Amino acid sequence: MLQQDSISYQQSFALEGDSAVVQHRPLTPAQVLSWLPRNATPAQQDSAIQAHFKPSEIHWSEHPDTLHLPGHDAGVDLMNSELPQYYREGFFSKDSLFHPELQGGRYGVAGDPVPYSVHNDNIITSLLLTCFIFTIIAFANTRRFIIRQAKNFFYLPREGTTEFTETSNELRFQGFLVVITSLLIALLFYFYTLHYIGETFVLQSQYTLIAIYLGIIVGYFMIKAGLYTFINQVFFDSKRNQQWIKSLLFIISIEGVLFFPAVVLGAYFELPIKNVAYYVCFALILIKILTFYKCYVIFFRRNVVHLQIILYFCTLEMIPLLALWGVLVFTANILKINF
């Protein structure tokens, strides 16, 4: 047998030793890729990497870092995500562009706000349209009752003649017209308040002010009806009292019909408030003339005593009307904001 060359034997032993050392060292992606041929595709390279390297969970050390210089503080923990204050607060820290989660405001110079106007108020417009539609529907269902009331208003019935009694629907229609009239008067005084008293009030909404006016006016009509009932029961019989109550409800309904054009013209056609006031005064004078006429026909036609009818009319018509005006003005002055 031939003796092996010592040089070649030593090289082979050295290579075996290197391979043994390499086997104990952790593999690297470069070593794995070096085992593949040069013409290996990217898919083959990726398969080789996935075959030799498996992802595993990273376990961070929980022991404190004690390897720091003597006389210095310990190093900052990498798991601590708190930033110093000078990083958290700055000039743009509260800016909406720096913090998308904050609601941004408007940039630029604010313009003059659009002044309040009644014709741009959707709630008042809807309220007037609703009242108009319901009034038309109620008038269509009770037109015979209205025509009969209009004929009987100027007709002097003879004694002993039978009178027609109102149905429940007709009574509800009269009550509805009284509420509509109260609402229209409240809107008219609201227009007067905005022009002559003030535009800012301690209330949260102007609709609350209209509701207060409406309550005062409804209370005025109820107190007025109570005074009429009490006084007429003392001096007159029940038949005349019943005739007067029916006539009074009809007069209030006519008052609402007359006030409706004033509200529409003042709110949507920009009619000057002075012209609206003149129209309202004319309508009130006409209503008081009709009231005075009906009062004379029912109660004082036989006993022609001018002093009694004047006292009766002034006590139950003029004084309550002036008291209503004073209460409304006093309420508006209390609720307005004085700068």
Side-chain angles (χ1 to χ4, degrees):
M1 296 177 63
L2 295 176
Q3 186 178 1
Q4 295 181 354
D5 189 1
S6 61
I7 297 175
S8 61
Y9 177 76
Q10 290 177 357
Q11 290 178 355
S12 63
F13 180 77
L15 292 174
E16 292 178 357
D18 293 339
S19 62
V21 173
V22 170
Q23 291 179 357
H24 290 287
R25 293 178 182 177
L27 292 176
T28 61
Q31 291 178 353
V32 175
L33 294 177
S34 65
W35 296 342
L36 299 177
R38 293 182 178 180
N39 58 353
T41 61
Q44 293 175 350
Q45 296 176 0
D46 184 66
S47 299
I49 293 295
Q50 292 182 4
H52 289 84
F53 296 97
K54 301 297 180 182
S56 60
E57 185 179 359
I58 299 176
H59 298 281
W60 300 97
S61 176
E62 297 181 356
H63 297 284
D65 185 12
T66 57
L67 299 177
H68 55 273
L69 296 176
H72 295 271
D73 298 333
V76 180
D77 188 4
L78 296 178
M79 299 303 295
N80 187 8
S81 60
E82 295 182 0
L83 296 176
Q85 186 175 3
Y86 51 83
Y87 284 124
R88 288 185 285 107
E89 295 183 1
F91 182 77
F92 299 101
S93 60
K94 296 182 180 179
D95 193 355
S96 60
L97 301 178
F98 189 73
H99 292 279
E101 69 275 5
L102 298 178
Q103 185 178 4
R106 296 181 179 179
Y107 293 94
V109 179
D112 295 334
V114 178
Y116 173 79
S117 59
V118 179
H119 63 271
N120 292 329
D121 198 324
N122 296 327
I123 295 180
I124 294 180
T125 303
S126 303
L127 189 62
L128 290 176
L129 286 177
T130 303
C131 293
F132 180 74
I133 292 172
F134 277 102
T135 303
I136 293 299
I137 294 174
F139 178 78
N141 295 328
T142 58
R143 59 182 179 274
R144 294 181 180 178
F145 164 73
I146 296 174
I147 295 173
R148 188 174 69 248
Q149 287 280 5
K151 289 181 179 180
N152 294 333
F153 189 82
F154 298 99
Y155 173 70
L156 301 178
R158 297 180 181 178
E159 295 183 358
T161 56
T162 58
E163 296 182 358
F164 294 97
T165 58
E166 288 79 4
T167 62
S168 59
N169 292 330
E170 293 173 349
L171 291 176
R172 283 195 291 268
F173 171 68
Q174 287 181 330
F176 175 74
L177 289 180
V178 172
V179 175
I180 294 298
T181 304
S182 302
L183 178 61
L184 293 176
I185 296 174
L187 290 175
L188 288 173
F189 191 79
Y190 175 68
F191 300 159
Y192 173 84
T193 303
L194 294 180
H195 284 83
Y196 293 104
I197 297 180
E199 297 181 356
T200 56
F201 300 90
V202 297
L203 304 173
Q204 296 181 354
S205 175
Q206 66 270 20
Y207 310 118
T208 307
L209 182 63
I210 297 175
I212 293 174
Y213 290 162
L214 178 61
I216 293 174
I217 296 169
V218 171
Y220 159 76
F221 282 121
M222 294 178 64
I223 294 173
K224 184 178 176 181
L227 290 175
Y228 271 121
T229 303
F230 175 75
I231 294 177
N232 291 339
Q233 285 180 354
V234 175
F235 297 100
F236 307 103
D237 55 358
S238 60
K239 183 179 179 180
R240 295 183 181 181
N241 293 334
Q242 188 176 4
Q243 292 177 358
W244 173 249
I245 292 298
K246 294 179 182 179
S247 301
L248 184 63
L249 291 175
F250 184 72
I251 290 172
I252 294 174
S253 303
I254 295 175
E255 187 176 3
V257 173
L258 293 177
F259 285 163
F260 187 78
V263 175
V264 175
L265 293 175
Y268 303 104
F269 293 92
E270 297 182 357
L271 187 67
I273 191 64
K274 292 183 178 180
N275 297 337
V276 175
Y278 293 152
Y279 176 82
V280 171
C281 292
F282 173 77
L284 281 177
I285 292 173
L286 180 61
I287 290 298
K288 297 309 174 185
I289 291 174
L290 294 177
T291 306
F292 186 84
Y293 166 77
K294 200 62 180 178
C295 178
Y296 169 76
V297 169
I298 294 176
F299 298 118
F300 301 97
R301 184 178 57 179
R302 296 181 181 179
N303 301 325
V304 184
V305 180
H306 301 287
L307 182 60
Q308 291 182 357
I309 189 172
I310 292 174
L311 292 176
Y312 181 86
F313 185 79
C314 292
T315 304
L316 298 180
E317 282 294 331
M318 301 308 298
I319 293 178
L321 182 62
L322 296 176
L324 174 64
W325 177 263
V327 170
L328 291 175
V329 173
F330 179 74
T331 303
N333 289 326
I334 287 179
L335 296 178
K336 77 172 183 178
I337 298 177
N338 297 317
F339 293 99

